[in-house]
Amino acid sequence: GGAGADEGEEGEGGEGKTTGRHWPSREWDFFDLNALSLEMQKDLPPPPELTEEEKEEIEKEKEKAKKAKGKAKGKGKGKGKEAPPEEEEEEGEGNEVEKWEKKAVEAGKFKSFVTTAHRCLVKTTQEELKVTSDFFAKSAQSIREKYESIEKRERVWKEKWLGLVEDLRANSEAARGAEA
């Protein structure tokens, strides 16, 4: 018991067997990038609309993929081999940020023993990631607000400019009409 459990102790009956502490194992998934991803996606343009021809072509490709997948499964029967696993999501699905988020989350997963030190490390990492995500979101928001303000002032200036140009044209045409 006690501290001896960490370093090993004799087994029952004095047989000389040593046993160490058994730490539970778990899969760690501490990269929650969803909030960061959503903030990044705010400024993305909407995906382009597909034409009817493109939609039909995509449907045909999906049907071919389903048929090919079915054939590959059929070939492996009886031999104990299965077709190689295919990616569940097609390359064209999702935008760049969603693809990045999925890859980053998958890359951040790992399996290890759970110790007090691991828990502290993961907790600290999660806190720092949250602080960084919040900082990014605030920075992106302030940049967005700054440029929206600039764009709004430019639209007002453009309207005033077009109004002045129209007044000058009207005055010029009135002056030509008076001369004639």
Side-chain angles (χ1 to χ4, degrees):
D6 290 334
E7 296 162 3
E9 57 186 37
E10 281 193 27
E12 292 181 22
E15 298 171 3
K17 294 182 182 176
T18 59
T19 58
R21 182 163 180 184
H22 295 284
W23 297 99
S25 180
R26 72 168 272 197
E27 185 170 305
W28 297 94
D29 182 18
F30 60 86
F31 286 120
D32 181 18
L33 300 175
N34 190 35
L36 181 62
S37 172
L38 292 174
E39 184 64 35
M40 293 169 69
Q41 292 181 52
K42 285 182 180 177
D43 295 327
L44 287 179
E49 291 292 323
L50 297 176
T51 63
E52 289 299 320
E53 295 169 353
E54 291 172 327
K55 289 178 184 178
E56 290 174 9
E57 187 175 318
I58 290 171
E59 288 299 319
K60 288 179 183 177
E61 289 176 10
K62 286 182 181 179
E63 288 176 21
K64 287 180 183 178
K66 285 180 183 178
K67 289 178 183 176
K69 188 175 180 181
K71 289 180 182 178
K73 284 185 179 179
K75 289 181 181 177
K77 289 184 179 177
K79 297 181 182 179
K81 296 181 182 178
E82 292 186 20
E86 295 181 22
E87 289 186 24
E88 294 178 10
E89 187 175 318
E90 293 184 16
E91 291 179 19
E93 291 184 21
N95 61 39
E96 292 177 23
V97 177
E98 290 170 339
K99 291 176 187 176
W100 166 81
E101 177 189 2
K102 185 175 181 176
K103 287 179 184 177
V105 168
E106 288 300 315
K109 288 183 180 179
F110 63 93
K111 189 170 186 167
S112 74
F113 294 109
V114 182
T115 66
T116 304
H118 288 106
R119 287 186 185 103
C120 291
L121 173 67
V122 170
K123 183 179 179 183
T124 303
T125 303
Q126 286 175 336
E127 290 170 357
E128 290 301 316
L129 185 61
K130 174 99 172 89
V131 168
T132 303
S133 292
D134 291 345
F135 175 75
F136 173 79
K138 288 176 185 174
S139 297
Q141 182 64 30
S142 69
I143 291 170
R144 187 179 300 113
E145 289 171 358
K146 175 184 174 184
Y147 285 100
E148 284 175 352
S149 170
I150 291 171
E151 186 179 23
K152 181 180 177 183
R153 287 184 284 169
E154 286 179 351
R155 274 189 256 122
V156 169
W157 177 86
K158 182 181 177 183
E159 290 172 9
K160 286 182 180 178
W161 178 259
L162 292 174
L164 290 172
V165 169
E166 193 60 38
D167 288 345
L168 287 173
R169 284 185 183 158
N171 289 340
S172 176
E173 290 175 7
R176 284 188 206 159
E179 289 177 5

